[in-house]
Amino acid sequence: MSNASSADLIHNPNGGLPRLVEIMRRLRDPKTGCPWDIEQDFSTIAPYTIEEAYEVADAIERESWDELKGELGDLLFQSVFHAQMADERGLFDLNDVANTMSDKMVARHPHVFGDESRDKSAEQQTLDWETIKAAERAGKEQKGTLDGVALGLPALLRAVKLQKRAARVGFDWPDISHVLDKMIEESQELVEARESFTQAEIEEEFGDLMFVMANLARHLNIEPESALRATNAKFTRRFEQVEAKLSQRGKRPQDSNLEEMDALWDEVKAEERALNNASAKIPDK
């Protein structure tokens, strides 16, 4: 692309995806690009990619749709960045990425793009999906049950994926009561470790408990990352209200003590319950 046509595309407000690809190419140009962008590689950009994915989830959680557009753009830019670096190495480009994904979706949805019937339950579709993915892993020479579960996933998410894979081949408790028993066992082991074990052993026992908690979430059909995000949001909301109540008393948290803040916390919880109960009693119009 000539310099003139490149400039026209970069400054075209309706240039769409080709515009973004060209901007990325120019940023990585070894002679005229941005020094920071030129210095990056896959490993240095990967943490930003993960961060942007979480910011997308955060915007969705808050139902901030205007922000979501921008966050999706940031995440898209990460894909373009990786594709540009791959293109420079002669590995693949963004079109290859899009085509690979398109091929995968067509192959995994024969009931939409092929001859299979759409008249099947969501459960059967999930089973079919897993069968297709298993065949794909076999084609990649991934022989082990746990092969292909990405190491770079957040630990909680990876724990659930590992457990799902093991469950497919029968390595799973038959009902939730066994998981609850294991949770109690691991909790007791953590208490014992705290009293007499090394820090490394305590960390190991804590990890065991977290792993069982992830398994419990799976058996309860709960997505643990979402559940924890919701609890984080609840804690933030309530603590901010505690701070507001302290401010009304002319105090900051550091001017208070645990007893006072704990009492205010209980007060905030009671007010929330009252508000929720009142809202539940309002009839629909």
Side-chain angles (χ1 to χ4, degrees):
M1 182 179 294
S2 68
N3 290 338
S5 57
S6 172
D8 288 342
L9 178 57
I10 286 172
H11 295 288
N12 178 3
N14 298 311
L17 188 57
R19 179 191 184 195
L20 184 59
V21 171
E22 181 61 16
I23 289 171
M24 185 70 256
R25 188 191 68 79
R26 286 283 300 276
L27 287 172
R28 291 276 298 180
D29 187 288
K31 294 182 179 180
T32 61
C34 169
W36 186 90
D37 290 279
I38 295 169
E39 290 178 0
Q40 305 312 306
D41 58 29
F42 292 113
S43 62
T44 62
I45 292 299
Y48 296 101
T49 308
I50 295 170
E51 179 181 340
E52 296 300 350
Y54 275 113
E55 290 184 1
V56 167
D58 177 67
I60 293 171
E61 186 78 23
R62 294 182 288 107
E63 298 186 357
S64 180
W65 309 127
D66 287 340
E67 284 188 38
L68 178 60
K69 179 176 67 174
E71 299 299 350
L72 286 171
D74 291 341
L75 185 57
L76 174 61
F77 184 72
Q78 295 298 307
S79 294
V80 172
F81 206 141
H82 286 289
Q84 174 62 32
M85 291 187 291
D87 191 17
E88 292 165 4
R89 296 190 186 186
L91 301 174
F92 54 81
D93 60 18
L94 191 62
N95 283 329
D96 295 323
V97 173
N99 288 332
T100 297
M101 193 64 209
S102 296
D103 290 344
K104 182 187 295 184
M105 289 299 100
V106 170
R108 289 185 178 180
H109 295 81
H111 57 293
V112 176
F113 304 109
D115 298 329
E116 284 192 10
S117 172
R118 293 181 65 251
D119 186 18
K120 62 176 72 175
S121 66
E123 181 180 1
Q124 183 58 50
Q125 288 184 13
T126 300
L127 292 173
D128 291 348
W129 176 276
E130 296 299 342
T131 300
I132 292 170
K133 290 201 293 184
E136 290 175 357
R137 287 194 296 274
K140 297 177 182 178
E141 297 185 351
Q142 296 176 352
K143 305 300 183 183
T145 301
L146 304 181
D147 288 352
V149 180
L151 292 171
L153 289 172
L156 194 56
L157 176 58
R158 188 164 192 267
V160 173
K161 285 185 173 291
L162 290 170
Q163 292 161 5
K164 285 182 177 179
R165 287 281 189 90
R168 284 185 215 153
V169 296
F171 192 71
D172 193 16
W173 281 297
D175 60 70
I176 198 171
S177 65
H178 294 81
V179 186
L180 292 170
D181 289 342
K182 188 64 175 178
M183 185 180 68
I184 295 171
E185 176 189 328
E186 295 294 350
S187 298
Q188 292 172 342
E189 290 182 2
L190 179 58
V191 171
E192 294 169 3
R194 181 174 172 269
E195 295 173 351
S196 58
F197 287 17
T198 66
Q199 183 63 31
E201 290 170 325
I202 293 172
E203 184 174 333
E204 180 180 350
E205 295 297 341
F206 180 80
D208 290 345
L209 179 58
M210 290 284 287
F211 194 80
V212 175
M213 290 297 294
N215 211 344
L216 178 62
R218 183 175 63 86
H219 278 263
L220 290 171
N221 294 318
I222 292 171
E223 207 290 301
E225 288 279 353
S226 298
L228 188 54
R229 280 199 302 270
T231 297
N232 288 341
K234 179 171 63 176
F235 177 84
T236 301
R237 181 182 69 248
R238 289 177 176 176
F239 191 79
E240 287 174 347
Q241 291 180 57
V242 168
E243 285 185 308
K245 288 180 179 293
L246 283 173
S247 180
Q248 292 172 1
R249 300 179 181 183
K251 291 183 176 182
R252 298 171 302 170
Q254 52 267 48
D255 304 320
S256 183
N257 55 45
L258 178 58
E259 182 180 3
E260 181 181 29
M261 287 190 287
D262 204 29
L264 290 174
W265 180 273
D266 290 338
E267 185 178 315
V268 167
K269 287 174 61 178
E271 289 172 355
E272 282 189 359
R273 283 195 297 271
L275 182 61
N276 290 336
N277 290 338
S279 299
K281 293 178 181 179
I282 297 176
D284 293 334
K285 293 183 179 180

PDB file of all heavy atoms in Angstrom, residues 11 24 29 40 58 67-68 73 89 100 111 136 140 144 163 166 169 174 193 200 212 217 221 245 251 253 274:
ATOM      1  N   HIS A  11      -6.906   7.691   8.246  1.00  0.00           N
ATOM      2  CA  HIS A  11      -7.706   8.850   8.666  1.00  0.00           C
ATOM      3  C   HIS A  11      -9.154   8.777   8.195  1.00  0.00           C
ATOM      4  O   HIS A  11      -9.906   9.741   8.342  1.00  0.00           O
ATOM      5  CB  HIS A  11      -7.051  10.138   8.157  1.00  0.00           C
ATOM      6  CG  HIS A  11      -5.702  10.398   8.779  1.00  0.00           C
ATOM      7  ND1 HIS A  11      -5.563  10.797  10.086  1.00  0.00           N
ATOM      8  CD2 HIS A  11      -4.453  10.267   8.272  1.00  0.00           C
ATOM      9  CE1 HIS A  11      -4.267  10.923  10.367  1.00  0.00           C
ATOM     10  NE2 HIS A  11      -3.581  10.609   9.288  1.00  0.00           N
ATOM     11  N   MET A  24      -2.184  -0.699  12.956  1.00  0.00           N
ATOM     12  CA  MET A  24      -1.282  -1.599  13.676  1.00  0.00           C
ATOM     13  C   MET A  24      -0.008  -1.827  12.872  1.00  0.00           C
ATOM     14  O   MET A  24       1.096  -1.869  13.435  1.00  0.00           O
ATOM     15  CB  MET A  24      -1.995  -2.932  13.940  1.00  0.00           C
ATOM     16  CG  MET A  24      -1.211  -3.915  14.798  1.00  0.00           C
ATOM     17  SD  MET A  24      -1.080  -3.378  16.528  1.00  0.00           S
ATOM     18  CE  MET A  24       0.621  -2.800  16.588  1.00  0.00           C
ATOM     19  N   ASP A  29       5.920  -0.504  12.237  1.00  0.00           N
ATOM     20  CA  ASP A  29       6.908  -0.260  11.184  1.00  0.00           C
ATOM     21  C   ASP A  29       8.265   0.027  11.822  1.00  0.00           C
ATOM     22  O   ASP A  29       8.396   0.934  12.649  1.00  0.00           O
ATOM     23  CB  ASP A  29       6.479   0.941  10.334  1.00  0.00           C
ATOM     24  CG  ASP A  29       7.375   1.127   9.122  1.00  0.00           C
ATOM     25  OD1 ASP A  29       8.541   1.546   9.309  1.00  0.00           O
ATOM     26  OD2 ASP A  29       6.922   0.866   7.994  1.00  0.00           O
ATOM     27  N   GLN A  40       7.593  -4.754  21.430  1.00  0.00           N
ATOM     28  CA  GLN A  40       6.763  -5.791  22.046  1.00  0.00           C
ATOM     29  C   GLN A  40       6.851  -7.117  21.301  1.00  0.00           C
ATOM     30  O   GLN A  40       7.177  -7.175  20.119  1.00  0.00           O
ATOM     31  CB  GLN A  40       5.299  -5.333  22.113  1.00  0.00           C
ATOM     32  CG  GLN A  40       5.089  -4.014  22.817  1.00  0.00           C
ATOM     33  CD  GLN A  40       5.804  -3.934  24.150  1.00  0.00           C
ATOM     34  OE1 GLN A  40       5.630  -4.793  25.021  1.00  0.00           O
ATOM     35  NE2 GLN A  40       6.613  -2.890  24.323  1.00  0.00           N
ATOM     36  N   ASP A  58     -16.186  -6.923  32.808  1.00  0.00           N
ATOM     37  CA  ASP A  58     -16.593  -5.929  33.800  1.00  0.00           C
ATOM     38  C   ASP A  58     -17.662  -4.997  33.238  1.00  0.00           C
ATOM     39  O   ASP A  58     -18.648  -4.683  33.914  1.00  0.00           O
ATOM     40  CB  ASP A  58     -15.369  -5.118  34.238  1.00  0.00           C
ATOM     41  CG  ASP A  58     -15.724  -4.021  35.225  1.00  0.00           C
ATOM     42  OD1 ASP A  58     -16.119  -4.349  36.367  1.00  0.00           O
ATOM     43  OD2 ASP A  58     -15.621  -2.833  34.860  1.00  0.00           O
ATOM     44  N   GLU A  67     -19.487   1.729  27.322  1.00  0.00           N
ATOM     45  CA  GLU A  67     -18.129   1.287  27.653  1.00  0.00           C
ATOM     46  C   GLU A  67     -17.804  -0.030  26.968  1.00  0.00           C
ATOM     47  O   GLU A  67     -16.660  -0.265  26.563  1.00  0.00           O
ATOM     48  CB  GLU A  67     -17.962   1.125  29.172  1.00  0.00           C
ATOM     49  CG  GLU A  67     -17.811   2.428  29.917  1.00  0.00           C
ATOM     50  CD  GLU A  67     -17.446   2.201  31.378  1.00  0.00           C
ATOM     51  OE1 GLU A  67     -16.657   1.281  31.665  1.00  0.00           O
ATOM     52  OE2 GLU A  67     -17.977   2.927  32.232  1.00  0.00           O
ATOM     53  N   LEU A  68     -18.793  -0.905  26.853  1.00  0.00           N
ATOM     54  CA  LEU A  68     -18.554  -2.211  26.249  1.00  0.00           C
ATOM     55  C   LEU A  68     -18.031  -2.064  24.822  1.00  0.00           C
ATOM     56  O   LEU A  68     -17.131  -2.812  24.412  1.00  0.00           O
ATOM     57  CB  LEU A  68     -19.839  -3.042  26.264  1.00  0.00           C
ATOM     58  CG  LEU A  68     -19.734  -4.432  25.621  1.00  0.00           C
ATOM     59  CD1 LEU A  68     -18.690  -5.288  26.330  1.00  0.00           C
ATOM     60  CD2 LEU A  68     -21.093  -5.128  25.636  1.00  0.00           C
ATOM     61  N   GLY A  73     -13.411  -3.007  21.509  1.00  0.00           N
ATOM     62  CA  GLY A  73     -12.408  -2.472  20.598  1.00  0.00           C
ATOM     63  C   GLY A  73     -11.001  -2.723  21.119  1.00  0.00           C
ATOM     64  O   GLY A  73     -10.100  -3.101  20.353  1.00  0.00           O
ATOM     65  N   ARG A  89       6.485 -12.493  11.196  1.00  0.00           N
ATOM     66  CA  ARG A  89       7.308 -13.703  11.265  1.00  0.00           C
ATOM     67  C   ARG A  89       6.965 -14.713  10.172  1.00  0.00           C
ATOM     68  O   ARG A  89       7.555 -15.787  10.088  1.00  0.00           O
ATOM     69  CB  ARG A  89       7.124 -14.391  12.618  1.00  0.00           C
ATOM     70  CG  ARG A  89       7.600 -13.594  13.808  1.00  0.00           C
ATOM     71  CD  ARG A  89       7.588 -14.465  15.054  1.00  0.00           C
ATOM     72  NE  ARG A  89       7.906 -13.723  16.249  1.00  0.00           N
ATOM     73  CZ  ARG A  89       8.074 -14.274  17.449  1.00  0.00           C
ATOM     74  NH1 ARG A  89       7.928 -15.597  17.578  1.00  0.00           N
ATOM     75  NH2 ARG A  89       8.359 -13.548  18.499  1.00  0.00           N
ATOM     76  N   THR A 100      -9.667 -19.469  10.190  1.00  0.00           N
ATOM     77  CA  THR A 100      -9.549 -20.608  11.103  1.00  0.00           C
ATOM     78  C   THR A 100     -10.751 -20.674  12.031  1.00  0.00           C
ATOM     79  O   THR A 100     -11.318 -21.747  12.273  1.00  0.00           O
ATOM     80  CB  THR A 100      -8.251 -20.501  11.925  1.00  0.00           C
ATOM     81  OG1 THR A 100      -7.129 -20.559  11.037  1.00  0.00           O
ATOM     82  CG2 THR A 100      -8.147 -21.632  12.935  1.00  0.00           C
ATOM     83  N   HIS A 111     -25.460 -28.962  12.827  1.00  0.00           N
ATOM     84  CA  HIS A 111     -26.915 -28.825  12.882  1.00  0.00           C
ATOM     85  C   HIS A 111     -27.376 -27.457  12.370  1.00  0.00           C
ATOM     86  O   HIS A 111     -28.579 -27.233  12.188  1.00  0.00           O
ATOM     87  CB  HIS A 111     -27.409 -29.036  14.318  1.00  0.00           C
ATOM     88  CG  HIS A 111     -26.786 -28.119  15.315  1.00  0.00           C
ATOM     89  ND1 HIS A 111     -25.459 -28.174  15.636  1.00  0.00           N
ATOM     90  CD2 HIS A 111     -27.312 -27.114  16.057  1.00  0.00           C
ATOM     91  CE1 HIS A 111     -25.180 -27.247  16.543  1.00  0.00           C
ATOM     92  NE2 HIS A 111     -26.285 -26.591  16.809  1.00  0.00           N
ATOM     93  N   GLU A 136     -11.064 -33.058  17.451  1.00  0.00           N
ATOM     94  CA  GLU A 136     -10.086 -32.026  17.079  1.00  0.00           C
ATOM     95  C   GLU A 136      -8.797 -32.207  17.864  1.00  0.00           C
ATOM     96  O   GLU A 136      -7.690 -32.079  17.314  1.00  0.00           O
ATOM     97  CB  GLU A 136     -10.670 -30.634  17.345  1.00  0.00           C
ATOM     98  CG  GLU A 136     -11.797 -30.249  16.408  1.00  0.00           C
ATOM     99  CD  GLU A 136     -12.433 -28.924  16.786  1.00  0.00           C
ATOM    100  OE1 GLU A 136     -12.023 -28.341  17.817  1.00  0.00           O
ATOM    101  OE2 GLU A 136     -13.331 -28.467  16.072  1.00  0.00           O
ATOM    102  N   LYS A 140      -4.795 -33.111  16.751  1.00  0.00           N
ATOM    103  CA  LYS A 140      -3.609 -32.356  17.164  1.00  0.00           C
ATOM    104  C   LYS A 140      -2.638 -33.220  17.956  1.00  0.00           C
ATOM    105  O   LYS A 140      -1.690 -32.707  18.553  1.00  0.00           O
ATOM    106  CB  LYS A 140      -4.031 -31.158  18.025  1.00  0.00           C
ATOM    107  CG  LYS A 140      -4.887 -30.140  17.312  1.00  0.00           C
ATOM    108  CD  LYS A 140      -5.306 -29.035  18.273  1.00  0.00           C
ATOM    109  CE  LYS A 140      -6.203 -28.012  17.597  1.00  0.00           C
ATOM    110  NZ  LYS A 140      -6.655 -26.955  18.543  1.00  0.00           N
ATOM    111  N   GLY A 144      -3.690 -37.200  25.988  1.00  0.00           N
ATOM    112  CA  GLY A 144      -4.149 -37.229  27.370  1.00  0.00           C
ATOM    113  C   GLY A 144      -5.476 -36.525  27.553  1.00  0.00           C
ATOM    114  O   GLY A 144      -5.822 -35.592  26.807  1.00  0.00           O
ATOM    115  N   GLN A 163     -11.445 -30.227  35.794  1.00  0.00           N
ATOM    116  CA  GLN A 163     -12.425 -31.109  36.427  1.00  0.00           C
ATOM    117  C   GLN A 163     -13.460 -31.592  35.422  1.00  0.00           C
ATOM    118  O   GLN A 163     -13.882 -32.759  35.462  1.00  0.00           O
ATOM    119  CB  GLN A 163     -13.080 -30.378  37.592  1.00  0.00           C
ATOM    120  CG  GLN A 163     -12.129 -30.122  38.754  1.00  0.00           C
ATOM    121  CD  GLN A 163     -12.624 -29.030  39.679  1.00  0.00           C
ATOM    122  OE1 GLN A 163     -13.722 -28.507  39.512  1.00  0.00           O
ATOM    123  NE2 GLN A 163     -11.824 -28.689  40.682  1.00  0.00           N
ATOM    124  N   ALA A 166     -11.838 -34.353  33.375  1.00  0.00           N
ATOM    125  CA  ALA A 166     -11.725 -35.601  34.133  1.00  0.00           C
ATOM    126  C   ALA A 166     -13.092 -36.260  34.297  1.00  0.00           C
ATOM    127  O   ALA A 166     -13.208 -37.491  34.251  1.00  0.00           O
ATOM    128  CB  ALA A 166     -11.106 -35.324  35.500  1.00  0.00           C
ATOM    129  N   VAL A 169     -14.415 -38.728  31.583  1.00  0.00           N
ATOM    130  CA  VAL A 169     -13.945 -40.120  31.557  1.00  0.00           C
ATOM    131  C   VAL A 169     -14.287 -40.835  32.863  1.00  0.00           C
ATOM    132  O   VAL A 169     -13.718 -41.886  33.178  1.00  0.00           O
ATOM    133  CB  VAL A 169     -12.429 -40.176  31.285  1.00  0.00           C
ATOM    134  CG1 VAL A 169     -12.132 -39.636  29.906  1.00  0.00           C
ATOM    135  CG2 VAL A 169     -11.632 -39.410  32.344  1.00  0.00           C
ATOM    136  N   PRO A 174     -20.091 -38.962  42.319  1.00  0.00           N
ATOM    137  CA  PRO A 174     -21.423 -39.203  41.758  1.00  0.00           C
ATOM    138  C   PRO A 174     -22.464 -38.173  42.175  1.00  0.00           C
ATOM    139  O   PRO A 174     -23.447 -37.970  41.469  1.00  0.00           O
ATOM    140  CB  PRO A 174     -21.788 -40.604  42.286  1.00  0.00           C
ATOM    141  CG  PRO A 174     -20.946 -40.773  43.516  1.00  0.00           C
ATOM    142  CD  PRO A 174     -19.671 -40.039  43.237  1.00  0.00           C
ATOM    143  N   ALA A 193      -2.770 -27.438  59.158  1.00  0.00           N
ATOM    144  CA  ALA A 193      -1.538 -26.961  58.532  1.00  0.00           C
ATOM    145  C   ALA A 193      -1.127 -25.611  59.111  1.00  0.00           C
ATOM    146  O   ALA A 193       0.063 -25.348  59.323  1.00  0.00           O
ATOM    147  CB  ALA A 193      -1.731 -26.850  57.019  1.00  0.00           C
ATOM    148  N   ALA A 200       4.874 -23.073  52.841  1.00  0.00           N
ATOM    149  CA  ALA A 200       4.646 -23.758  51.559  1.00  0.00           C
ATOM    150  C   ALA A 200       3.570 -24.829  51.706  1.00  0.00           C
ATOM    151  O   ALA A 200       2.719 -25.004  50.825  1.00  0.00           O
ATOM    152  CB  ALA A 200       5.955 -24.380  51.066  1.00  0.00           C
ATOM    153  N   VAL A 212     -11.317 -27.792  45.505  1.00  0.00           N
ATOM    154  CA  VAL A 212     -12.589 -28.436  45.856  1.00  0.00           C
ATOM    155  C   VAL A 212     -13.732 -27.440  45.738  1.00  0.00           C
ATOM    156  O   VAL A 212     -14.839 -27.789  45.303  1.00  0.00           O
ATOM    157  CB  VAL A 212     -12.520 -29.032  47.274  1.00  0.00           C
ATOM    158  CG1 VAL A 212     -13.875 -29.598  47.679  1.00  0.00           C
ATOM    159  CG2 VAL A 212     -11.475 -30.129  47.344  1.00  0.00           C
ATOM    160  N   ALA A 217     -18.615 -25.604  42.834  1.00  0.00           N
ATOM    161  CA  ALA A 217     -19.300 -24.685  41.924  1.00  0.00           C
ATOM    162  C   ALA A 217     -19.764 -25.427  40.668  1.00  0.00           C
ATOM    163  O   ALA A 217     -20.892 -25.230  40.194  1.00  0.00           O
ATOM    164  CB  ALA A 217     -18.366 -23.538  41.543  1.00  0.00           C
ATOM    165  N   ASN A 221     -23.634 -26.047  39.207  1.00  0.00           N
ATOM    166  CA  ASN A 221     -23.872 -25.307  37.958  1.00  0.00           C
ATOM    167  C   ASN A 221     -23.667 -23.805  38.149  1.00  0.00           C
ATOM    168  O   ASN A 221     -24.425 -22.979  37.625  1.00  0.00           O
ATOM    169  CB  ASN A 221     -25.283 -25.586  37.415  1.00  0.00           C
ATOM    170  CG  ASN A 221     -25.460 -27.015  36.978  1.00  0.00           C
ATOM    171  OD1 ASN A 221     -24.578 -27.598  36.353  1.00  0.00           O
ATOM    172  ND2 ASN A 221     -26.591 -27.608  37.326  1.00  0.00           N
ATOM    173  N   LYS A 245     -21.214   6.307  55.869  1.00  0.00           N
ATOM    174  CA  LYS A 245     -21.773   6.488  57.200  1.00  0.00           C
ATOM    175  C   LYS A 245     -20.723   7.043  58.170  1.00  0.00           C
ATOM    176  O   LYS A 245     -21.037   7.860  59.036  1.00  0.00           O
ATOM    177  CB  LYS A 245     -22.338   5.163  57.717  1.00  0.00           C
ATOM    178  CG  LYS A 245     -23.618   4.724  57.021  1.00  0.00           C
ATOM    179  CD  LYS A 245     -24.122   3.402  57.567  1.00  0.00           C
ATOM    180  CE  LYS A 245     -25.425   2.996  56.878  1.00  0.00           C
ATOM    181  NZ  LYS A 245     -26.551   3.907  57.215  1.00  0.00           N
ATOM    182  N   LYS A 251     -15.683  10.975  60.242  1.00  0.00           N
ATOM    183  CA  LYS A 251     -14.587  10.026  60.379  1.00  0.00           C
ATOM    184  C   LYS A 251     -14.212   9.404  59.031  1.00  0.00           C
ATOM    185  O   LYS A 251     -15.003   9.394  58.082  1.00  0.00           O
ATOM    186  CB  LYS A 251     -14.984   8.880  61.328  1.00  0.00           C
ATOM    187  CG  LYS A 251     -15.145   9.260  62.779  1.00  0.00           C
ATOM    188  CD  LYS A 251     -15.470   8.002  63.593  1.00  0.00           C
ATOM    189  CE  LYS A 251     -15.556   8.292  65.077  1.00  0.00           C
ATOM    190  NZ  LYS A 251     -15.835   7.054  65.865  1.00  0.00           N
ATOM    191  N   PRO A 253     -12.205   5.572  57.686  1.00  0.00           N
ATOM    192  CA  PRO A 253     -11.996   4.226  58.233  1.00  0.00           C
ATOM    193  C   PRO A 253     -10.807   4.145  59.182  1.00  0.00           C
ATOM    194  O   PRO A 253     -10.876   3.473  60.215  1.00  0.00           O
ATOM    195  CB  PRO A 253     -11.768   3.375  56.974  1.00  0.00           C
ATOM    196  CG  PRO A 253     -12.547   4.073  55.929  1.00  0.00           C
ATOM    197  CD  PRO A 253     -12.406   5.533  56.223  1.00  0.00           C
ATOM    198  N   ALA A 274     -34.058  -4.692  53.874  1.00  0.00           N
ATOM    199  CA  ALA A 274     -35.328  -3.966  53.954  1.00  0.00           C
ATOM    200  C   ALA A 274     -35.721  -3.421  52.585  1.00  0.00           C
ATOM    201  O   ALA A 274     -36.887  -3.489  52.186  1.00  0.00           O
ATOM    202  CB  ALA A 274     -35.221  -2.843  54.979  1.00  0.00           C
TER     203      ALA A 274
END
